[in-house]
Amino acid sequence: MDHLIKIISKPDNIPIVLMLGLTVFYTWFSMRKARRNDLQDISEEAKLSDKVQVWPYLVKVEFLAALLIMAILTIWSVGLDAPLEQPANPALTPNPSKAPWYFLGLQEILVYFDPWIAGVVLPTLIIVGLCAIPYIDINPKGNGYYTFKERPFAILTFMFGFLVLWVSLIVLGTFFRGPGWNIFMPWQEWDTHLVVALTNIDWSEWLPFHQPTRLVDGTLNPYAMLIGSVTVIGWYSLGVIYYFWKRKSDLMQKLGILRYSIVAFLFLTMMAVPVKVLLRIAFNIKYILVTPWFNI
Amino acid sequence: MIGLIDQMKEKMRRTDVYKSIFRHSYEDTQRNRALQIVDNVFLHLHPVRVTRHATNVGFTWGMGGITFLLFIVLTITGVILMFYYRPAAEYAYDDMKFLMNDVAFGPLMRNMHRWGAHAMVITVMLHMFRVFLTGSYKAPRQFNWVIGVILLTLTLFLSFTGYLLPWDQLAIWAVTVGTNMARATPLLGHEGPFGPELGMKINNDVRFVLLGGTQVGPPTLLRFYVLHCIFLPLVATILMVVHFWRVRKDGGISGPDTTTKKF
Ligand code: HEM
């Protein structure tokens, strides 16, 4: 219990508690608004579509908000000092070494993917994917008011990415990861000597295949590579199969092949993350595909 | 007494000095309320009139505005911190100690800067969440969303580069962990796919460029300082100007299209 209080009240962890509270609140708050709108013919926002003067109606709100935020920030800053630890020492690596909290989701994914994916490709795809959203979401409905019913796929996908893959992984990385990047419950004392035996195997070595990644002479087993490549290509061909299944549908016609390909690629890449996490947890799978240049 | 004060106020409003500063009279009229906005360089970011739901905190959560407010607070406290801080490995940590122990209001400035930075990362994420949930990235606001995504990235980089400056254990190791990824950049990192094939080594790859060395050291401190205090805030400011201007040009805060039947 002491450890729980210690870890939650660590100055640099307070923002994460704050973020968690605010995201939960705003998710509930916005979905309540969406539900209310979805049950009516006309949205609450549309009922307020008359014009008011900015002075005083908007300036007043801004002023009060600024006052409130400044008050909170001042109290926070008077009450709690920013951390200043021992001077930098390149020879003394702390255990665990954690990135700043907003990158902990990515650091968490590093457990399941090699750095070139977790540290470079995925962040790039997050940024590119976010930029692409307005151009691939061609549903004209739900512009300027809260709704769920009119765009369930968009909202569920975004929430999965933001709430599960971003916010929850940050919370996991902050409160549940201890020395050696091992999982500790937040109330559990950190044991710096804990060694968790890793018995990871690669996808091709797993029961149904039984193909070792490397042959006895140390070279890569071509059959293992084949199994891996087929799996990766198979995963992305789900998007192709879905295309041919739904080709005639209205939505697919409107989307067009280019937009659809981008949506399918981004969606399948995002979903590959939880799938690999599950494979690791359930079957200790380390790599799906091992090549001389990179591993997936 | 009250009468006297009123009389003096009245007199003051008629002086040349007053009239040269405030270009309109004081009565609470529609016209003066409009002039109050357009005659003020800061307030005229706003239109004179907005739809009622745009003033509703429940709609915007005020998150974009709060993000901007925090950015201003960070600029002011940041400039004050710069008076006391030298970005060289032999001084940086001692300057922080001095600031925390011996400078009047030093801890308050540093704390506001640090907690404000954390808060800004949170509010910018929530702002994006709100904009998504109200579908405000849809036509005609697509490009402003893209500018927003760049602002989000800049906010994270600002926070990340600032994290190194105290030059304590927390700082260098968090930045070491964060920049280690760059080794594995495909093509451009010495441990990334096809990096070695392209001639990447530990002392010429993209991480080396970022750190100014093979590990987080004094050149990294200077690099991050310049990025943190000059380059990134400058770019962020320019993009914020564009962001706000586009909010106006795209027709103000998004709202339901009341010209169609179901909305
Ligand atoms: C430094 C960061 C940012 C600042 C200071 C900022 C500021 C603002 C402000 C003051 C508004 C007016 C409405 C409101 O308060 O919600 C706004 C609107 C908007 N922002 Fe941002 N923003 C930032 C980042 C972002 C990000 C990360 C995104 C999306 C990825 C974004 C997309 C938008 C869009 C599309 C609008 C128009 C919303 C509407 O019309 O309802 N902004 N922004």
Side-chain angles (χ1 to χ4, degrees):
Chain A
M1 211 58 201
D2 284 354
H3 195 253
L4 178 68
I5 294 169
K6 201 167 86 197
I7 199 166
I8 287 187
S9 60
K10 208 172 138 214
D12 258 350
N13 286 349
I14 301 259
I16 297 134
V17 180
L18 194 74
M19 171 191 67
L20 187 61
L22 285 172
T23 5
V24 170
F25 169 76
Y26 276 120
T27 306
W28 166 80
F29 181 72
S30 58
M31 285 303 105
R32 199 185 58 153
K33 277 173 164 297
R35 192 180 143 73
R36 188 183 307 160
N37 279 346
D38 285 345
L39 293 173
Q40 305 180 27
D41 278 345
I42 171 171
S43 66
E44 293 293 316
E45 289 85 357
K47 290 180 192 160
L48 300 176
S49 64
D50 58 322
K51 295 262 185 175
V52 294
Q53 283 201 296
V54 164
W55 183 282
Y57 294 100
L58 180 56
V59 179
K60 172 185 72 184
V61 178
E62 289 174 339
F63 179 70
L64 289 176
L67 221 57
L68 181 71
I69 298 295
M70 289 312 293
I72 293 173
L73 187 61
T74 310
I75 293 170
W76 186 1
S77 303
V78 169
L80 198 66
D81 270 347
L84 189 59
E85 297 187 352
Q86 294 303 307
N89 181 355
L92 193 71
T93 315
N95 185 9
S97 282
K98 291 191 182 184
W101 63 267
Y102 35 83
F103 289 150
L104 282 185
L106 297 170
Q107 197 178 351
E108 178 64 28
I109 290 178
L110 215 48
V111 175
Y112 312 98
F113 289 94
D114 273 0
W116 71 279
I117 301 184
V120 185
V121 173
L122 287 178
T124 310
L125 284 180
I126 293 173
I127 295 170
V128 173
L130 283 173
C131 288
I133 286 176
Y135 305 99
I136 54 184
D137 176 4
I138 53 168
N139 176 4
K141 287 197 227 129
N143 183 349
Y145 54 99
Y146 289 93
T147 172
F148 179 76
K149 208 171 62 183
E150 296 176 9
R151 40 198 290 257
F153 175 74
I155 290 187
L156 285 176
T157 311
F158 192 86
M159 283 205 175
F160 186 77
F162 181 61
L163 300 178
V164 180
L165 293 183
W166 189 257
V167 175
S168 314
L169 287 190
I170 289 175
V171 172
L172 181 69
T174 311
F175 297 117
F176 294 83
R177 288 292 185 184
W181 208 254
N182 289 314
I183 292 267
F184 290 88
M185 287 298 127
W187 52 88
Q188 223 178 341
E189 213 50 59
W190 281 1
D191 171 4
T192 28
H193 302 293
L194 181 74
V195 178
V196 178
L198 288 177
T199 47
N200 287 339
I201 55 168
D202 292 331
W203 176 242
S204 63
E205 294 167 335
W206 187 48
L207 274 177
F209 310 118
H210 264 317
Q211 287 291 333
T213 307
R214 281 175 195 281
L215 299 172
V216 243
D217 60 0
T219 55
L220 289 173
N221 174 359
Y223 290 108
M225 267 209 260
L226 186 69
I227 293 170
S229 317
V230 168
T231 311
V232 174
I233 296 170
W235 174 254
Y236 282 101
S237 24
L238 290 178
V240 181
I241 296 170
Y242 188 79
Y243 176 77
F244 282 105
W245 180 33
K246 292 280 179 182
R247 192 175 32 165
K248 296 271 155 45
S249 72
D250 241 18
L251 178 68
M252 202 62 94
Q253 293 291 323
K254 272 201 214 118
L255 259 179
I257 180 91
L258 180 65
R259 271 203 209 91
Y260 171 76
S261 313
I262 299 172
V263 176
F265 171 73
L266 291 172
F267 184 76
L268 286 169
T269 307
M270 178 168 111
M271 293 321 270
V273 174
V275 167
K276 184 125 190 243
V277 172
L278 286 180
L279 281 178
R280 169 68 61 84
I281 292 171
F283 306 112
N284 293 321
I285 304 287
K286 184 161 168 65
Y287 290 124
I288 301 292
L289 168 64
V290 176
T291 75
W293 311 278
F294 59 86
N295 310 319
I296 292 175
Chain B
M1 187 63 193
I2 304 278
L4 190 68
I5 292 174
D6 278 350
Q7 239 176 6
M8 276 167 64
K9 274 199 208 152
E10 218 17 68
K11 265 230 171 76
M12 192 183 71
R13 288 198 195 105
R14 255 181 273 128
T15 58
D16 283 349
V17 176
Y18 184 93
K19 280 194 279 186
S20 74
I21 301 172
F22 303 97
R23 297 289 175 140
H24 52 88
S25 60
Y26 194 73
E27 284 79 36
D28 186 11
T29 63
Q30 285 253 344
R31 189 181 134 78
N32 280 343
R33 286 178 175 191
L35 287 172
Q36 179 69 25
I37 298 295
V38 290
D39 278 0
N40 182 305
V41 67
F42 303 108
L43 288 178
H44 103 287
L45 264 178
H46 289 308
V48 168
R49 290 162 2 113
V50 290
T51 49
R52 190 180 291 279
H53 87 270
T55 66
N56 178 356
V57 187
F59 183 75
T60 63
W61 312 347
M63 277 304 160
I66 293 172
T67 309
F68 184 48
L69 172 73
L70 288 169
F71 183 74
I72 296 171
V73 172
L74 289 167
T75 310
I76 296 170
T77 52
V79 167
I80 295 172
L81 294 180
M82 283 172 81
F83 289 136
Y84 295 95
Y85 176 85
R86 287 165 293 177
E90 55 275 46
Y91 301 129
Y93 183 77
D94 291 338
D95 286 350
M96 297 307 278
K97 275 270 177 234
F98 181 71
L99 183 85
M100 290 306 272
N101 296 327
D102 298 303
V103 176
F105 296 106
L108 184 66
M109 288 301 116
R110 171 157 186 251
N111 295 345
M112 282 180 91
H113 197 75
R114 185 161 190 119
W115 305 139
H118 281 323
M120 184 175 166
V121 173
I122 297 172
T123 57
V124 75
M125 288 178 345
L126 290 174
H127 172 55
M128 178 178 73
F129 192 36
R130 182 297 278 185
V131 172
F132 187 90
L133 290 174
T134 55
S136 306
Y137 57 85
K138 301 190 179 199
R141 297 181 180 79
Q142 298 101 320
F143 190 63
N144 215 13
W145 167 273
V146 177
I147 294 173
V149 175
I150 304 173
L151 278 169
L152 170 80
T153 320
L154 287 172
T155 308
L156 292 179
F157 277 141
L158 270 166
S159 182
F160 184 63
T161 48
Y163 218 88
L164 182 65
L165 304 184
W167 205 241
D168 62 348
Q169 279 290 74
L170 195 62
I172 67 157
W173 288 103
V175 169
T176 301
V177 171
T179 51
N180 257 339
M181 310 291 131
R183 293 167 187 272
T185 314
L187 310 180
L188 296 177
H190 73 280
E191 286 174 7
F194 307 109
E197 283 81 353
L198 287 175
M200 290 301 155
K201 292 196 222 45
I202 189 161
N203 59 1
N204 66 0
D205 69 347
V206 58
R207 177 169 163 278
F208 184 83
V209 174
L210 189 67
L211 298 184
T214 53
Q215 58 169 356
V216 176
T220 320
L221 182 59
L222 185 56
R223 256 167 223 220
F224 275 38
Y225 175 79
V226 174
L227 289 175
H228 184 76
C229 300
I230 298 175
F231 181 73
L232 294 171
L234 205 66
V235 179
T237 308
I238 294 171
L239 284 178
M240 277 182 212
V241 172
V242 179
H243 193 62
F244 300 156
W245 182 76
R246 297 240 12 168
V247 172
R248 289 282 307 268
K249 289 291 154 179
D250 295 340
I253 300 296
S254 60
D257 177 5
T258 38
T259 53
T260 55
K261 181 84 189 51
K262 161 86 176 123
F263 33 75

